[in-house]
Amino acid sequence: MRFNRPAASLAASLALAAGVSACNSDLTSLNQNPNSPENAPAGAVFTSAVANSVSRWLGSGFDLRQMEFLTQHLAEVQYPDEDRYARIRASDTQNTFTGAYNTDLEDFEQVRQKGVADNSAAEYAPAMVMKQWEFGYLTDAWGAIPYSQALKGDSGVALPTYDSQKDVYTGMFAALTKAAADLATPGAQSLGGADPIYNGSPSKWQKFANSLHARDAMRISYVDQATADAELKAAFTGPGGVFASNADNAELDWPGDGVYNNPWSNNFQTRDDHRMSKTFVDTLLSHADPRLPIFAMPTEDFQGGKSSAEFVGQPNGLSAAEAGTYFSSTSRPGAIFYPGATTAGFFGGNGAKQPSYLMTYAELLFIKAEAAERGLGGLTPGLAAQFYYDGIKASMQQWGVADADITTYLARPDIAYQGGTNGLKQIATQKWIALFTDGAQAWFEWRRTCVPTLNPGPDAIFKYVPRRLEYPITERSVNGTNVEDAISAQGFDDANEMKGQTYWDTKTAPTCQ
Amino acid sequence: MRAVPLRVLAALAFVGLVPMTLAAQQGTTVSGVVTGAAGEPLPAVNVAIPSLSVGAVTNDAGRYSFVVPVAKSSGTHTLTARRIGLQAKSVQITLGGASITQDFVLSQAVSQLEGVVVTALGQTREKSQLGTAVQQVSSEQLNTTHDPNIMNQLAGKVSGVAITGAGTQGGSVNVRIRGFTSINGNNSPLYVVDGVPISNSDRGGDPSGASNMYNSRDFGSAISDINPEDVANISVLKGPNAAALYGSRAANGVVLITTKKGNRGTSSTTITASNTWDKPSILPDYQNLYGQGSLGQFDFVNGAGKGVQDGNDQSYGPRLDGRTTGCAFIKKSDPRYDKNNPYVYDTTLPCHQFNAPDGAPWIAHPDNVESFFNTGQTRDGNIAFTGGTDKASARLSLGGENVDGIIPNSFLRKITGLANGSIDVSSKVTATGSVNYIRNTGQNRPGVGYNTGILEQFVWFGRQVDMNALRAQQYDANGNLFNWNYNYHNNPFWLQDYNPETDNRDRTIINGSVSYRPTTWLNATLRSGTDFYRYVINQNFAAGNINMADPNYAGAFADLTDVSNENNTEALLTATKQATSKLELNGTLGGNVRNQSLTTEAVTTSGISVPGIYNVSNAAITPTNSQNLSRRRVNSLYGSASFTWDNWWTVEGTGRNDWSSTLPAGNNSYFYPSVNTSIVLTDAIPSLRGKGYLTFAKIRGAWAQVGNDADPYQLRTTYTGQSSKFGALPLYSLGNTLANANLKPEKTLSTEGGVELGFGDNRVTLDASIYDKATSNQIINLPISPTSGFTSQAINAGKIENKGFEALLSVVPFRSTNAEWTSSFNYSMNRGRVVDLYPGLSTIVLGGTWSATVEARVGEPYGVIRGYTIKKDSAGNWLLADGLPQRGPLAVLGNTQPKWTGGWNNTVRYKNFTLNALLDMHIGGSIFSVTNMFGETTGVLANTLQGREVDWDNPGIVVKGIDEATGDPNTTTVTSEDYFQSFFRLHERYVYDDTWTKLREVRVSYELPVRFANKMYAQSASIALVGRNLVTWTKVPNIDPEFGYSTGNYQGMEFAALPNPRSIGFSIRLTP
């Protein structure tokens, strides 16, 4: 009898233990993530990817810290390390490279897959076009990149191989051709209002696809003129056509609500490091360009009556001590890029809402002008002048220049189209001006054309303007074999990687002499 | 067993320290007072008759009382008084009905080899029977001095445990037992209070200086909520073997905290108070010969670049020689400019400064950083009441702690209330419960790292800056912010006064249990405990805050709320039976359901409309909201059985099965077994006793397998949304980690062996262990190429191995009636190694700052520091370009784990005086100091005076090395500024041997003689002078080499940490 009670409590414990086991069936459902879904609407993913990709390539990291100094649109007046090329190594640019893939490109790829599953080109084709827009920056800055095997981590490709730049271009041409063609039949599903660029318009996306096709075709025109000729033709005659006015521009209008602001205005809000480059300002001054008062602010010295020079550029690549002496005597970027109040003072402007331009009508016209001058893409040299003038006009209208000023400018003898080699140089110069705020495209075009003449600043740590970017350190440690294969296939000298030339870069490197 | 009218009461064993207490309606009352050699009352002494399994524990007045049931009240028995750290005493008493009064005087003993210790599941066991390494620290040993975090008070006192202080006041204390076991998972021990696991979560502490406010301050670790005055003892289960019964939480060891309890039949009150004054223990060694600027120039116009170098926040400016003119060179545009001699100061121009009229002398303010700090003050007080009848007991303790920080306008406040009690519901049923409420409040907790670290501002700094001017004036006459620089900094006083961070944690730990003892050898207990807290952080940023507030608006704010809840409900059956005269059996069988949830909600905006209203309704910029809920449940069944033969040989086996919600269905059940054994050689072979003065010898060995489960929601890849819309458009982005639907828990196999020896009447004792533990099936976020669209993939792979040796040597070099000196030395040596990760994967980055990383690298210890070297030739000569060092390849520059750590603790007692001194030693290991890197880049540190003796046009350093272009020895002269700035991100230069020794604790106490105490209406009273962190010996320049920042795995990267404070003060203890 005396063991009854112990036996009872033992039984009770075992019952509890059994209860523990019984509870186990709920365990799995408890691990359902209550915060984040396993699936999300294609539109919301597309919006996110657009915002991320545009601020990546036209934003305060890549553009304002590296590209604007390479192309000498801007210069640095304080802590000018970037302007001295001291912040352009792999450690400085790798997040731009890797983030593009694992953030925006992957999201675009998810949208594409959803759209394909929905059998709706209006859903997947914009994602395809945006992918090619991004891949363009990647390959032009780095050379060979993962393309055909990229973005397949969820189907088991953890370490993608690198495609040659030639193959990337072939792939981009094919994708853009398909996107423009497929958009003729948009399908049942559309991104609609979730598309912050074209509000879901299939015909606008066709124009962007074809115009981007033209950009890419022209980019390879010196290394493979035959392909460029064919692809330009395909682009100009693609279904839906190319940009026909500034209304067709691929641009992202920032909400400017303090959360999603134009990235330049975000940077200028707290940093006062940037000034207009002397190279750029001098070019504009030499032709009394009416865009200058829009692109640049009068210097502080001018405003304070200490100087009669209203717009002055800052020499690129000075030492910190030297750069600092220009603080008040050189022009900040124009007030349209400033958010109003900044930590450095009030500069007016409503720059938080300033759009970012992914590709403009003006750029397309300069591509047409060059194609015409060189007899490519079915165009003839006789058409070049008009495309050239139209390009200038489109750029000026895009930036809000008054019609009278445009007329005056176009009437200048030094602006008159000269044709031939000089004409190509004029086209390239105007394109470089029109690409203001897109430092990377301007740098790519400089590498392709050697126009304008760019020299490193006196205190730059390279004695040449870099012609490519180094592959990410993380990529070299994780995906080492594929990166090393890509480096050796391109013949890059590891120790001086900044000198290496990518496939389409045919000019004398590194100096363009 | 005879059937007698017996009421079995007070089965307290399950709550920890107190073994079962038996009382009877009639029986023999045994009571008395236990005092120390100096006459001071000794609390927490276990007084018991082991043969009858009855006894009690002394209260704070040293009193004990228990009743031996009638049934047992006969015969002569041994009454023993024992407590950790004291020499046990036994007397023979004869039970016969009449009450017995028996006082004890116990002297300090260094023997830690015998006595009662608390082990897994709160069981009390004879230490001599344990086959695993357990070390127990008593309240007195713990509370030598006072620190706001109880774990700091444990530093240097337990072998095998490495404790690293925060490096900021109120910050996190990093605790590692026997090294790191998990690559990406949790490496902190489990904390259990009175049988209930509690949270030691922390927030912040990322020295990388993320602009995210929640990372860049160290908000401390939650274990600091525990009031040290409520702790009776802490028992450390050193690793998997001792902790095996905790299964998937056992890999990192367990810290078992047992709180003080009320006592049957007596009552008492104890009052303690202390007051210490705190100063920064170490500040960088600054130079005071050159002021703000660069290349020798500085001319303040607007502090943002308008004047010559005036936006510059470095100290490579003009010499601080009292000049009143000529702080900038003659300009190129000036007719006097001489291009052959461009470095001529223009003495026609006054030196402009931010705070003084033109012509004020350009002079150093050598104490400007030091004068920023206040003398902090830490006050704490506690009052505890205990009391009880023969059927119930209770203790109520109220504590308060008030830390006025060493940085202006900062404080920490803590109030704690702990009520616990037990009551005999019937003769066989006892109920106990406790409620512990804590309110922990902080204001302006010091930041760490680049954006909020207050010392960051003094690394980028002008050595001429007059701190008094900044203190006196935060706004100028026009209402604009007043500061020495407007580009990169805010006035540090303004930051403290107008941008307050406040936080508070309301926490309740509730614990209730009912136990049923049907017969003397069996006990069934049902217990449920909940640790619940709500932690709210509010960070306000006034208009003008450079890092956080949009200048278009009136300020900004960020708020965060954590709500954490862990509940454990356990049923436990315990049996202890003397099966034969020689064989004793112990067995447990239990089940536990653990539910954990953590909800985090945060709201931030960088712009508000109306100044001073930090409320979401005042947001001018749509606030960003985030919300996260994390839940976990683990169900467990476990049991143990141990057999002790003739008191000298014990064999124990344990087993536990966990079912975890974080693992995939069908794959979520795991069994964890362990076995251990111990042999007391001096009992097994009595002839050993006395040989070579040997009084005690024991050997032990153990093997265990335990685990570590996954974090919640690791099985499926998900999209992350944003609360802020793009215009009106919602946003979703796919996560970057490829989930794994087949995860398994990490598995740790551990083997340990130990020896425990006592010599010369246990005046010399040694308790030593060696161990080997290996953790495999690591849950790794395997880095994959981001070009795949994902940055990592969750897998089970990889292995970490830890081998080590730990020992505690205690000696009583001198002992007499009036005086005694005891000395103990503990030593811990752990060698950790990442054995493998995954084919093709050589490293996993745990964290990093300024391009230096802390990594788990195959073949290296866990936590190596990797960064850029200085370029050298094969002979080790620097290869220079233009006279300056160049960046060499990336290399492993050190590892963050020490070679060994140790503590040397001395107690000297002479009559009523006692002196305690603790040296805490940390030998080897490496740290990367960003403070030193930037301190050289900016020229504020004293060593950057090298090469500056000559003027700017005649710079002074010829770096020793080879010119890489020519191959010849370098002859190019460079400026000091160029030289020191050339080391930026050459991490090799700033990785230091993290060897240090600290005089951690000193206490001189005086126990008032009882007659004096009585005059103060007290039974006893003592007063003590106390000091913490009094001296640091180290070769690491300019910083406190001890810093924790967080309880996480990413350690060893210092930036702008506040030094651990040096505290001096007094404490009193009174028992009325």
Side-chain angles (χ1 to χ4, degrees):
Chain A
M1 280 304 288
R2 67 176 188 265
F3 285 111
N4 279 356
R5 280 169 173 172
S9 60
L10 187 66
S13 293
L14 288 173
L16 267 163
V20 164
S21 324
C23 291
N24 291 341
S25 54
D26 302 336
L27 286 175
T28 308
S29 59
L30 198 72
N31 206 34
Q32 194 81 35
N33 190 328
N35 310 298
S36 305
E38 286 170 42
N39 206 348
V45 181
F46 185 79
T47 312
S48 169
V50 167
N52 285 328
S53 60
V54 172
S55 57
R56 181 177 318 284
W57 301 110
L58 304 174
S60 58
F62 188 65
D63 187 50
L64 278 183
R65 282 174 73 86
Q66 280 117 21
M67 294 297 123
E68 292 297 337
F69 309 121
L70 289 181
T71 195
Q72 299 187 5
H73 281 160
L74 301 180
E76 261 181 327
V77 72
Q78 296 195 73
Y79 285 90
D81 285 344
E82 287 85 358
D83 203 3
R84 295 173 50 239
Y85 310 142
R87 298 280 183 271
I88 197 172
R89 306 306 296 262
S91 52
D92 307 297
T93 58
Q94 63 181 353
N95 289 348
T96 302
F97 182 98
T98 58
Y101 280 98
N102 65 49
T103 311
D104 355 314
L105 280 170
E106 176 61 33
D107 284 343
F108 283 131
E109 172 61 15
Q110 295 297 325
V111 175
R112 189 193 68 80
Q113 290 178 17
K114 289 173 199 288
V116 168
D118 291 342
N119 200 21
S120 296
E123 198 172 56
Y124 68 74
M128 286 176 73
V129 175
M130 286 303 295
K131 279 176 68 182
Q132 311 318 311
W133 178 76
E134 284 210 60
F135 277 125
Y137 283 92
L138 282 163
T139 185
D140 292 346
W142 278 274
I145 53 165
Y147 183 83
S148 57
Q149 295 301 304
L151 312 176
K152 292 180 176 172
D154 46 359
S155 42
V157 184
L159 304 175
T161 53
Y162 279 58
D163 294 283
S164 71
Q165 190 170 59
K166 184 175 195 289
D167 291 345
V168 174
Y169 268 84
T170 307
M172 293 196 296
F173 293 139
L176 291 168
T177 304
K178 177 173 163 51
D182 290 4
L183 278 164
T185 319
Q189 300 294 321
S190 165
L191 294 168
D195 162 17
I197 297 175
Y198 288 129
N199 199 27
S201 162
S203 64
K204 295 265 189 188
W205 278 104
Q206 279 181 314
K207 287 179 178 179
F208 184 24
N210 292 323
S211 302
L212 192 57
H213 195 153
R215 170 195 280 182
D216 291 343
M218 184 56 79
R219 191 70 33 87
I220 62 163
S221 62
Y222 283 119
V223 69
D224 185 352
Q225 188 160 323
T227 305
D229 181 35
E231 295 296 341
L232 278 167
K233 231 174 257 164
F236 293 148
T237 60
V242 291
F243 293 156
S245 75
N246 274 329
D248 293 336
N249 286 347
E251 65 178 63
L252 181 65
D253 295 328
W254 293 95
D257 54 1
V259 183
Y260 290 100
N261 292 344
N262 179 293
W264 275 34
S265 86
N266 254 2
N267 181 282
F268 298 160
Q269 185 172 293
T270 56
R271 304 289 305 195
D272 192 16
D273 302 340
H274 292 85
R275 293 290 184 272
M276 299 301 289
S277 163
K278 179 171 164 50
T279 316
F280 192 57
V281 171
D282 286 356
T283 305
L284 295 183
L285 280 175
S286 68
H287 306 296
D289 195 309
R291 284 169 291 192
L292 183 56
I294 296 167
F295 288 162
M297 257 186 240
T299 68
E300 281 197 20
D301 284 352
F302 175 82
Q303 294 180 58
K306 290 184 193 164
S307 165
S308 58
E310 188 174 5
F311 298 102
V312 181
Q314 164 100 7
N316 282 91
L318 300 180
S319 69
E322 187 75 6
T325 64
Y326 288 87
F327 189 85
S328 305
S329 62
T330 51
S331 294
R332 291 187 174 88
I336 59 165
F337 303 113
Y338 279 77
T342 73
T343 52
F346 183 85
F347 300 109
N350 192 17
K353 290 180 187 289
Q354 173 70 23
S356 289
Y357 296 102
L358 286 75
M359 189 177 176
T360 62
Y361 179 48
E363 184 190 345
L364 178 81
L365 287 167
F366 292 124
I367 292 168
K368 281 188 165 178
E370 181 178 347
E373 183 62 52
R374 293 167 62 193
L376 301 174
L379 302 177
T380 53
L383 298 168
Q386 195 54 50
F387 286 133
Y388 165 79
Y389 293 125
D390 287 351
I392 294 171
K393 191 174 168 189
S395 170
M396 291 195 171
Q397 284 172 339
Q398 176 195 330
W399 291 104
V401 175
D403 287 348
D405 292 340
I406 299 174
T407 310
T408 309
Y409 184 81
L410 292 177
R412 287 179 64 95
D414 56 357
I415 290 303
Y417 186 66
Q418 298 170 28
T421 311
N422 282 346
L424 288 176
K425 198 172 167 186
Q426 284 179 300
I427 294 166
T429 304
Q430 284 298 334
K431 196 172 179 183
W432 176 66
I433 296 169
L435 283 170
F436 186 62
T437 70
D438 190 346
Q441 289 302 328
W443 175 56
F444 302 152
E445 284 296 286
W446 169 79
R447 282 159 51 204
R448 184 176 70 85
T449 62
C450 276
V451 176
T453 303
L454 298 179
N455 290 306
D459 286 297
I461 60 167
F462 303 116
K463 302 306 171 198
Y464 54 87
V465 178
R467 297 191 79 92
R468 65 170 292 268
L469 301 181
E470 294 174 337
Y471 288 112
I473 298 164
T474 48
E475 193 59 6
R476 294 184 77 157
S477 64
V478 175
N479 197 13
T481 310
N482 288 326
V483 184
E484 300 309 324
D485 286 353
I487 289 171
S488 63
Q490 293 170 99
F492 292 149
D493 174 357
D494 233 351
N496 296 291
E497 271 201 282
M498 296 292 177
K499 283 181 189 168
Q501 287 178 279
T502 66
Y503 161 74
W504 52 252
D505 179 356
T506 57
K507 299 293 180 191
T508 307
T511 54
C512 262
Q513 295 309 307
Chain B
M1 212 163 284
R2 295 188 306 276
V4 292
L6 174 70
R7 279 184 78 187
V8 182
L9 301 172
L12 296 178
F14 48 85
V15 285
L17 178 72
V18 188
M20 62 184 189
T21 301
L22 300 171
Q25 285 168 319
Q26 294 164 337
T28 309
T29 303
V30 182
S31 62
V33 178
V34 184
T35 54
E40 77 280 13
L42 292 174
V45 178
N46 189 324
V47 185
I49 303 172
S51 58
L52 299 179
S53 296
V54 293
V57 174
T58 57
N59 64 11
D60 285 337
R63 292 182 185 280
Y64 75 93
S65 175
F66 62 87
V67 179
V68 181
V70 170
K72 295 182 179 179
S73 289
S74 63
T76 298
H77 297 271
T78 304
L79 177 68
T80 305
R82 61 190 349 163
R83 205 192 75 182
I84 285 297
L86 301 175
Q87 188 84 4
K89 277 203 178 149
S90 297
V91 296
Q92 298 293 314
I93 55 171
T94 303
L95 302 174
S99 292
I100 294 171
T101 302
Q102 179 66 52
D103 294 347
F104 288 91
V105 178
L106 299 185
S107 55
Q108 291 281 334
V110 290
S111 169
Q112 300 233 0
L113 306 181
E114 295 173 274
V116 175
V117 295
V118 182
T119 67
L121 306 182
Q123 302 173 80
T124 53
R125 297 278 298 274
E126 284 293 327
K127 187 162 191 294
S128 63
Q129 293 184 0
L130 294 182
T132 58
V134 175
Q135 187 177 337
Q136 190 159 307
V137 175
S138 71
S139 170
E140 277 71 30
Q141 291 168 305
L142 190 70
N143 292 330
T144 319
T145 59
H146 183 83
D147 187 277
N149 192 319
I150 189 172
M151 294 313 286
N152 269 333
Q153 294 180 200
L154 203 62
K157 293 172 183 171
V158 185
S159 68
V161 181
I163 296 174
T164 308
T168 59
Q169 276 187 302
S172 304
V173 179
N174 198 303
V175 180
R176 294 280 170 267
I177 299 177
R178 293 183 177 176
F180 289 80
T181 54
S182 178
I183 291 170
N184 282 326
N186 177 30
N187 282 299
S188 290
L190 172 67
Y191 294 84
V192 178
V193 176
D194 291 341
V196 177
I198 63 158
S199 165
N200 184 36
S201 70
D202 64 347
R203 273 227 164 258
D206 179 0
S208 312
S211 55
N212 178 345
M213 58 162 286
Y214 307 116
N215 289 338
S216 53
R217 291 179 196 265
D218 179 356
F219 292 95
S221 40
I223 197 69
S224 68
D225 290 342
I226 298 298
N227 177 4
E229 290 294 335
D230 288 338
V231 174
N233 63 62
I234 291 180
S235 189
V236 180
L237 311 184
K238 298 178 195 173
N241 300 92
L245 272 172
Y246 292 98
S248 59
R249 285 172 130 184
N252 308 306
V254 180
V255 175
L256 293 174
I257 297 171
T258 305
T259 61
K260 292 174 180 169
K261 303 293 187 308
N263 218 19
R264 298 287 164 113
T266 58
S267 66
S268 72
T269 302
T270 302
I271 299 168
T272 57
S274 74
N275 195 342
T276 61
W277 287 268
D278 310 317
K279 294 286 264 181
S281 58
I282 294 172
L283 285 174
D285 188 10
Y286 295 108
Q287 60 90 5
N288 288 297
L289 283 177
Y290 291 87
Q292 191 179 349
S294 176
L295 281 172
Q297 299 192 90
F298 180 76
D299 187 46
F300 188 93
V301 175
N302 72 342
K306 210 171 240 183
V308 177
Q309 298 296 349
D310 82 338
N312 190 301
D313 50 352
Q314 305 174 2
S315 283
Y316 284 108
R319 192 175 175 104
L320 293 163
D321 48 12
R323 69 180 79 185
T324 55
T325 62
C327 283
F329 302 139
I330 292 172
K331 290 196 168 109
K332 271 184 190 167
S333 54
D334 194 294
R336 292 169 297 157
Y337 181 79
D338 175 1
K339 70 170 189 284
N340 296 319
N341 195 8
Y343 303 108
V344 176
Y345 285 110
D346 185 348
T347 53
T348 64
L349 293 175
C351 293
H352 299 101
Q353 300 190 43
F354 79 97
N355 62 322
D358 293 355
W362 179 251
I363 53 170
H365 286 87
D367 61 348
N368 52 2
V369 174
E370 199 180 338
S371 67
F372 172 75
F373 293 96
N374 295 334
T375 299
Q377 196 180 5
T378 302
R379 302 178 292 276
D380 74 273
N382 196 83
I383 182 162
F385 309 95
T386 65
T389 67
D390 63 336
K391 290 186 183 172
S393 69
R395 178 175 184 271
L396 175 66
S397 166
L398 301 169
E401 179 184 82
N402 201 336
V403 179
D404 289 328
I406 57 177
I407 61 173
N409 199 23
S410 73
F411 62 74
L412 302 164
R413 307 263 187 272
K414 184 167 77 181
I415 56 168
T416 61
L418 171 61
N420 59 30
S422 73
I423 185 163
D424 298 338
V425 179
S426 76
S427 62
K428 292 181 178 158
V429 178
T430 301
T432 70
S434 76
V435 178
N436 192 0
Y437 171 76
I438 303 111
R439 185 174 174 85
N440 201 332
T441 306
Q443 173 164 303
N444 280 329
R445 287 178 188 267
V448 295
Y450 205 70
N451 282 322
T452 54
I454 200 78
L455 282 174
E456 184 255 357
Q457 168 142 181
F458 306 132
V459 170
W460 290 97
F461 202 42
R463 293 300 305 144
Q464 87 291 355
V465 171
D466 180 359
M467 198 58 73
N468 290 327
L470 295 176
R471 181 186 285 111
Q473 198 178 0
Q474 302 184 7
Y475 287 97
D476 67 13
N478 301 321
N480 297 317
L481 291 174
F482 179 74
N483 199 15
W484 62 279
N485 176 283
Y486 294 90
N487 255 353
Y488 309 105
H489 303 283
N490 286 120
N491 180 326
F493 294 101
W494 178 83
L495 282 176
Q496 296 301 113
D497 291 344
Y498 289 87
N499 298 258
E501 175 276 328
T502 54
D503 59 86
N504 58 72
R505 180 164 51 235
D506 285 290
R507 185 171 190 176
T508 308
I509 303 170
I510 299 179
N511 179 357
S513 77
V514 178
S515 71
Y516 171 60
R517 182 179 285 273
T519 178
T520 51
W521 58 270
L522 191 64
N523 182 3
T525 299
L526 183 65
R527 165 168 51 207
S528 186
T530 292
D531 174 14
F532 173 85
Y533 70 79
R534 184 166 178 274
Y535 191 40
V536 180
I537 301 172
N538 301 110
Q539 173 80 67
N540 301 336
F541 306 105
N545 188 299
I546 285 177
N547 287 320
M548 303 294 178
D550 185 327
N552 287 296
Y553 301 95
F557 68 86
D559 295 342
L560 180 145
T561 303
D562 279 332
V563 177
S564 168
N565 193 343
E566 172 166 352
N567 174 275
N568 281 273
T569 300
E570 179 183 52
L572 190 64
L573 199 61
T574 310
T576 304
K577 190 153 176 74
Q578 196 74 35
T580 73
S581 65
K582 294 220 161 176
L583 182 65
E584 182 189 331
L585 303 175
N586 279 287
T588 58
L589 187 63
N592 188 81
V593 177
R594 161 158 66 108
N595 277 302
Q596 274 177 292
S597 74
L598 173 67
T599 304
T600 298
E601 292 182 2
V603 54
T604 63
T605 181
S606 55
I608 58 172
S609 302
V610 180
I613 304 297
Y614 299 105
N615 185 291
V616 70
S617 63
N618 189 38
I621 297 175
T622 309
T624 302
N625 293 277
S626 65
Q627 200 179 15
N628 194 64
L629 167 63
S630 173
R631 288 182 297 180
R632 180 202 302 258
R633 178 182 298 155
V634 178
N635 298 332
S636 312
L637 283 176
Y638 40 82
S640 71
S642 82
F643 309 88
T644 301
W645 180 256
D646 199 16
N647 269 329
W648 60 263
W649 185 26
T650 303
V651 177
E652 182 184 37
T654 73
R656 176 172 175 128
N657 203 89
D658 285 349
W659 292 263
S660 169
S661 69
T662 66
L663 297 164
N667 208 9
N668 61 358
S669 165
Y670 295 91
F671 182 67
Y672 303 110
S674 88
V675 292
N676 67 71
T677 186
S678 74
I679 297 171
V680 181
L681 293 172
T682 41
D683 286 341
I685 313 166
S687 59
L688 276 177
R689 212 183 287 265
K691 287 223 169 89
Y693 303 102
L694 191 67
T695 44
F696 181 87
K698 176 184 137 183
I699 55 170
R700 53 185 162 78
W703 175 92
Q705 178 192 324
V706 295
N708 210 352
D709 61 356
D711 286 333
Y713 318 136
Q714 301 299 297
L715 309 179
R716 283 181 189 83
T717 312
T718 56
Y719 284 87
T720 305
Q722 300 291 330
S723 73
S724 51
K725 309 301 166 213
F726 188 87
L729 302 174
L731 304 166
Y732 261 114
S733 180
L734 190 64
N736 280 334
T737 298
L738 271 174
N740 182 341
N742 299 306
L743 280 185
K744 293 181 284 194
E746 299 181 354
K747 182 168 96 175
T748 300
L749 290 177
S750 175
T751 309
E752 72 173 37
V755 58
E756 297 169 21
L757 301 171
F759 299 93
D761 201 19
N762 285 347
R763 276 179 71 162
V764 176
T765 65
L766 175 71
D767 184 346
S769 306
I770 55 169
Y771 59 86
D772 182 338
K773 63 174 177 175
T775 304
S776 54
N777 275 352
Q778 297 266 351
I779 297 172
I780 292 174
N781 278 339
L782 175 73
I784 60 177
S785 171
T787 64
S788 70
F790 301 87
T791 53
S792 60
Q793 183 177 14
I795 54 161
N796 283 108
K799 185 175 175 184
I800 287 186
E801 206 170 68
N802 281 279
K803 292 177 184 182
F805 171 71
E806 67 211 12
L808 174 64
L809 176 68
S810 300
V811 183
V812 185
F814 181 80
R815 181 187 284 165
S816 75
T817 316
N818 282 333
E820 183 173 85
W821 171 23
T822 63
S823 183
S824 69
F825 184 81
N826 70 67
Y827 173 92
S828 317
M829 185 271 283
N830 182 74
R831 293 286 177 271
R833 196 169 71 93
V834 179
V835 180
D836 62 55
L837 291 173
Y838 185 77
L841 179 67
S842 61
T843 189
I844 286 179
V845 175
L846 306 169
T849 188
W850 296 105
S851 305
T853 48
V854 174
E855 304 180 4
R857 271 189 101 75
V858 173
E860 304 270 1
Y862 182 87
V864 292
I865 296 174
R866 193 156 179 269
Y868 286 108
T869 51
I870 298 168
K871 199 172 192 180
K872 300 181 201 73
D873 65 15
S874 56
N877 300 306
W878 287 2
L879 290 173
L880 309 176
D882 300 329
L884 290 171
Q886 304 180 81
R887 192 172 89 175
L890 281 169
V892 170
L893 303 172
N895 82 75
T896 56
Q897 298 198 52
K899 286 189 178 123
W900 61 270
T901 59
W904 186 24
N905 205 348
N906 282 283
T907 304
V908 178
R909 183 184 59 76
Y910 176 70
K911 291 190 173 166
N912 285 12
F913 288 95
T914 307
L915 165 72
N916 292 86
L918 172 64
L919 279 178
D920 193 359
M921 283 161 265
H922 183 281
I923 309 301
S926 301
I927 53 170
F928 169 52
S929 169
V930 184
T931 297
N932 276 288
M933 182 173 83
F934 277 114
E936 291 196 348
T937 294
T938 63
V940 298
L941 294 177
N943 69 310
T944 64
L945 288 176
Q946 185 195 349
R948 292 208 230 180
E949 297 80 12
V950 285
D951 219 334
W952 300 104
D953 53 340
N954 186 17
I957 297 177
V958 179
V959 183
K960 190 162 178 282
I962 307 287
D963 185 283
E964 192 175 19
T966 63
D968 297 328
N970 175 50
T971 53
T972 307
T973 309
V974 295
T975 62
S976 173
E977 184 172 356
D978 283 344
Y979 173 68
F980 286 107
Q981 292 185 350
S982 71
F983 292 109
F984 180 69
R985 287 195 191 171
L986 301 189
H987 311 102
E988 178 182 355
R989 182 175 171 89
Y990 306 106
V991 171
Y992 300 99
D993 176 358
D994 191 24
T995 294
W996 47 263
T997 298
K998 289 193 173 195
L999 181 54
R1000 178 73 76 188
E1001 297 183 345
V1002 172
R1003 176 190 175 95
V1004 183
S1005 64
Y1006 178 66
E1007 182 74 33
L1008 270 67
V1010 175
R1011 57 197 162 90
F1012 288 132
N1014 287 348
K1015 280 181 185 165
M1016 298 164 67
Y1017 304 102
Q1019 297 176 42
S1020 71
S1022 71
I1023 183 159
L1025 288 173
V1026 296
R1028 283 191 69 82
N1029 297 322
L1030 296 176
V1031 189
T1032 302
W1033 294 274
T1034 182
K1035 286 184 180 167
V1036 181
N1038 296 313
I1039 60 163
D1040 183 347
E1042 181 193 20
F1043 53 90
Y1045 292 152
S1046 77
T1047 63
N1049 298 338
Y1050 165 42
Q1051 299 286 329
M1053 299 261 168
E1054 179 275 343
F1055 190 35
L1058 284 177
N1060 289 290
R1062 173 191 297 143
S1063 312
I1064 297 174
F1066 62 86
S1067 74
I1068 58 171
R1069 179 181 195 90
L1070 209 62
T1071 308

